[in-house]
Amino acid sequence: MLIKIYPENPNPREIDKVIDVLRDGGLVIYPTDTVYAIGCDALNVRAVEKICQLKESTRKKQPFHHLLQPFEPQRICKDK
């Protein structure tokens, strides 16, 4: 499925589709300044495993996380 979201005029229905994909454990591909990135719900273990499989990673080499809101590190990180 290809969903285009235009920053200057985002369509709420298209954004809702992306949210549904993420909530269902799906992956999204989005452009950054230099490359395309693969994203998922970082709290969904199966979604993160999909990225690891796609990138042929192991649990020893954790994927990089982009956080959308400043409070998210507390939700993702565990106390040591």
Side-chain angles (χ1 to χ4, degrees):
M1 166 184 347
L2 176 63
I3 299 171
K4 292 185 179 184
I5 297 178
Y6 301 95
E8 58 280 346
N9 189 19
N11 182 334
R13 285 189 217 141
E14 300 299 310
I15 293 172
D16 287 341
K17 288 179 187 178
V18 173
I19 291 169
D20 289 341
V21 166
L22 293 170
R23 284 186 178 150
D24 290 340
L27 306 180
V28 296
I29 299 173
Y30 58 95
T32 67
D33 290 340
T34 56
V35 296
Y36 282 87
I38 303 168
C40 72
D41 175 359
L43 300 177
N44 183 321
V45 174
R46 289 185 182 161
V48 174
E49 287 174 349
K50 286 179 188 178
I51 289 180
C52 291
Q53 289 173 352
L54 189 63
K55 295 182 74 170
E56 297 178 358
S57 298
T58 65
R59 288 194 181 263
K60 293 179 184 175
K61 183 179 177 184
Q62 293 296 320
F64 183 77
H65 295 103
H66 289 280
L67 304 176
L68 299 178
Q69 298 178 5
F71 61 84
E72 285 188 286
Q74 290 87 0
R75 291 175 49 207
I76 295 171
C77 299
K78 295 179 181 176
D79 293 334
K80 292 184 178 185

